[in-house]
Amino acid sequence: MFEDRPDREEVVLVGRSNVGKSTLMRELTGHSKFTTGQKPGVTRSPNHFDWVSENFMFTDLPGFGFMSGVEEEHREQIKTDLVRYIESNADDVLAAVLVVDGKSVIDIIDRHSGPDEIPHDVELFHFLWDLEVPTIVAVNKMDKVDDRDERLDDLCDRLGLHPPWKQWRETIAPISAKRGDIDALNEALRTQFHEQKRDDLLKFVS
């Protein structure tokens, strides 16, 4: 399911199931074809939205972690495929957007932290950094968070970034995709496009 990739540079969206990646994809592209649902795991294979003339695409990769009605073996395979996809195409990835649920991400990270366990979100963040893929953490559903700055500082701490979060605006982007509030992410993507001399793509994140 990961083989039919168009030959383009891309921005990839990654993250756990049910954090709002497909909703964010709709906001980024202005296109309503992306399936969203209440159940985790609606996206099972990469969704590409490409602009041939610019040799560019946004890609919504399948979510990892718990998925309703999906056996663990298949969930692990999706994660393996996801890692392989990013490794294979790292040279063409202009930026990776790691989408997390601002309301629950700290609890999830803490629940899965231990001597023998690294939380998926933290593992993926460092995996992307190790590949030298520019990584932006889109902290979604922030409209449901009261202690905004404290929550974002805690997330920086868990990811190994020194708080306060405001010094990481190119990396930490608080958003509410469902409400169409993705300005912080667009700003971070504009910075990445400009640094990589792809100002022709700025129109997609204006």
Side-chain angles (χ1 to χ4, degrees), residues 105-153:
V105 64
I106 303 300
D107 293 338
I108 290 171
I109 288 175
D110 289 351
R111 193 182 315 140
H112 293 280
S113 295
D116 304 314
E117 189 176 17
I118 300 173
H120 288 330
D121 302 278
V122 176
E123 184 180 28
L124 188 54
F125 179 74
H126 290 290
F127 164 72
L128 291 164
W129 268 41
D130 288 345
L131 284 178
E132 298 183 354
V133 171
T135 304
I136 301 162
V137 182
V139 192
N140 197 19
K141 308 183 185 181
M142 286 304 289
D143 52 304
K144 299 178 179 176
V145 174
D146 297 327
D147 50 346
R148 180 187 173 94
D149 287 340
E150 185 182 335
R151 187 68 58 94
L152 294 170
D153 285 349

Side-chain angles (χ1 to χ4, degrees), residues 71-182:
E71 293 178 9
E72 185 174 353
E73 184 180 337
H74 186 58
R75 295 203 302 263
E76 285 302 312
Q77 186 59 51
I78 287 175
K79 194 172 164 221
T80 301
D81 288 344
L82 177 83
V83 166
R84 194 174 295 140
Y85 179 97
I86 295 170
E87 278 182 331
S88 301
N89 302 301
D91 289 345
D92 286 327
V93 178
L94 296 171
V97 179
L98 171 57
V99 187
V100 300
D101 183 332
K103 200 173 176 191
S104 62
V105 64
I106 303 300
D107 293 338
I108 290 171
I109 288 175
D110 289 351
R111 193 182 315 140
H112 293 280
S113 295
D116 304 314
E117 189 176 17
I118 300 173
H120 288 330
D121 302 278
V122 176
E123 184 180 28
L124 188 54
F125 179 74
H126 290 290
F127 164 72
L128 291 164
W129 268 41
D130 288 345
L131 284 178
E132 298 183 354
V133 171
T135 304
I136 301 162
V137 182
V139 192
N140 197 19
K141 308 183 185 181
M142 286 304 289
D143 52 304
K144 299 178 179 176
V145 174
D146 297 327
D147 50 346
R148 180 187 173 94
D149 287 340
E150 185 182 335
R151 187 68 58 94
L152 294 170
D153 285 349
D154 284 347
L155 179 58
C156 282
D157 180 63
R158 303 304 193 274
L159 293 175
L161 306 172
H162 292 295
W165 76 272
K166 288 182 180 177
Q167 65 182 336
W168 297 101
R169 287 185 186 272
E170 290 175 18
T171 304
I172 303 291
I175 63 168
S176 298
K178 213 169 193 176
R179 295 191 170 196
D181 176 10
I182 61 169

Side-chain angles (χ1 to χ4, degrees), residues 40-57:
V42 170
T43 304
R44 300 286 173 87
S45 58
N47 271 328
H48 304 293
F49 190 87
D50 59 326
W51 290 269
V52 179
S53 57
E54 273 85 7
N55 192 35
F56 170 71
M57 62 186 175

Side-chain angles (χ1 to χ4, degrees), residues 7-88:
D7 184 18
R8 314 249 188 283
E9 289 191 300
E10 65 184 322
V11 169
V12 296
L13 273 61
V14 298
R16 289 181 177 275
S17 300
N18 219 29
V19 293
K21 292 193 310 302
S22 298
T23 303
L24 177 56
M25 186 77 160
R26 285 203 312 238
E27 285 298 319
L28 283 166
T29 63
H31 206 275
S32 59
K33 74 169 188 172
F34 303 102
T35 306
T36 62
Q38 294 299 315
K39 285 187 176 180
V42 170
T43 304
R44 300 286 173 87
S45 58
N47 271 328
H48 304 293
F49 190 87
D50 59 326
W51 290 269
V52 179
S53 57
E54 273 85 7
N55 192 35
F56 170 71
M57 62 186 175
F58 282 107
T59 300
D60 178 16
L61 290 172
F64 54 80
F66 174 77
M67 292 173 222
S68 178
V70 180
E71 293 178 9
E72 185 174 353
E73 184 180 337
H74 186 58
R75 295 203 302 263
E76 285 302 312
Q77 186 59 51
I78 287 175
K79 194 172 164 221
T80 301
D81 288 344
L82 177 83
V83 166
R84 194 174 295 140
Y85 179 97
I86 295 170
E87 278 182 331
S88 301

